[in-house]
Amino acid sequence: MIDFLQPANVVAPQLLGCVITHNGVSIRLTEVEAYLGADDPAAHTYRGKTARNAAMFGPPGRLYVYFSYGIHHNGNIVCAPEGDGQGCLMRGGEVVAGEDLARERRQRPDRAPIAYENLARGPGNLGRALGLELGDNGTPVELTLREAEPEWVAGPRIGISKNADAPWRFWIPGNKTVSTPRGAPKKR
C-alpha cells in the first residue's frame, strides 16, 4: 500500500509499476517526477495556492490535472499532507488495457500509426491516452498496486528550467515508454 501522506520524492518511486485506470484506459507507470511544493521552485505550488493549482493542496491520492502549453492535459497524483501542495507528475507508461481507446485518443488520421511504446510516452501523451481533462481535478486516483518493486533509477527532471538538477525523476531503466534519460541516473 502506498502512503500518499509521504513527501512526493518518497511516493514517486513507489508508483513505478503501479497501474492507473481512468476513463476506460489502464497504464502501468514507468516514469514519474516528484514536485515538492514550497520547497521546490519548479512546482506549480511553489508560490502558494491559486485557483489553477488548488487540487494540489487537497487531499492526497487525488488527481491534479493542468493544461500544458495550450495543448496537453498533464496529470499529477497529489501526495503529502493536505495543504502541502506536493505531487508526482505521471511522465510515461505502458498501456495495459484499453489500447484501442488510447489509440483513438492519440492517433491523428494524417499521421503514421503510433508505435505501442509511444502511446503513453511523455506526460502529454499519457494524459491524452487516459482522457484527462481539467474536470478531473481533485478526483480520487484509481490505482492498482504493483506485485513487486521493479528495478528503478533516479536522476534530474527534464523539460523544466527551475531546480532541474534535483534527482526527483524516477524511471524503470531500459523501458521503451520512458523519455530519453538526461544526466547521470542513480541506481536504486
Side-chain angles (χ1 to χ4, degrees), residues 166-188:
W168 296 332
R169 178 173 162 247
F170 305 88
W171 69 95
I172 297 173
N175 189 294
K176 292 182 180 183
T177 64
V178 173
S179 307
T180 304
R182 297 186 176 112
K186 297 176 182 177
K187 235 180 189 180
R188 301 287 175 159

Side-chain angles (χ1 to χ4, degrees), residues 59-160:
R62 295 178 180 257
L63 285 173
Y64 162 57
V65 179
Y66 64 95
F67 202 42
S68 176
Y69 300 112
I71 303 170
H72 303 291
H73 287 96
N74 295 348
N76 287 257
I77 298 175
V78 177
C79 49
E82 193 167 342
D84 277 10
Q86 295 189 36
C88 299
L89 173 66
M90 298 180 289
R91 284 200 56 86
E94 302 166 337
V95 177
V96 296
E99 182 178 341
D100 290 342
L101 184 53
R103 283 189 181 285
E104 182 180 312
R105 290 174 178 155
R106 287 276 342 276
Q107 187 65 56
R108 289 180 40 186
D110 60 331
R111 300 281 172 96
I114 297 170
Y116 169 78
E117 62 268 13
N118 292 332
L119 282 174
R121 182 180 183 196
N125 294 333
L126 188 147
R128 183 165 285 152
L130 287 174
L132 292 179
E133 296 179 355
L134 294 178
D136 294 318
N137 252 332
T139 60
V141 174
E142 185 179 334
L143 199 67
T144 303
L145 300 179
R146 62 193 185 196
E147 292 180 15
E149 181 178 7
E151 178 185 349
W152 57 271
V153 293
R157 296 178 293 189
I158 59 176
I160 58 173

Side-chain angles (χ1 to χ4, degrees), residues 11-82:
V11 172
Q14 296 176 48
L15 292 171
L16 295 172
C18 293
V19 175
I20 182 168
T21 300
H22 190 78
N23 287 336
V25 173
S26 297
I27 296 175
R28 185 174 81 92
L29 297 173
T30 60
E31 180 183 15
V32 294
E33 284 181 347
Y35 288 88
L36 276 65
D39 295 328
D40 182 1
H44 287 184
T45 55
Y46 178 66
R47 296 184 197 270
K49 188 175 179 179
T50 66
R52 179 184 184 218
N53 69 20
M56 280 278 272
F57 289 92
R62 295 178 180 257
L63 285 173
Y64 162 57
V65 179
Y66 64 95
F67 202 42
S68 176
Y69 300 112
I71 303 170
H72 303 291
H73 287 96
N74 295 348
N76 287 257
I77 298 175
V78 177
C79 49
E82 193 167 342

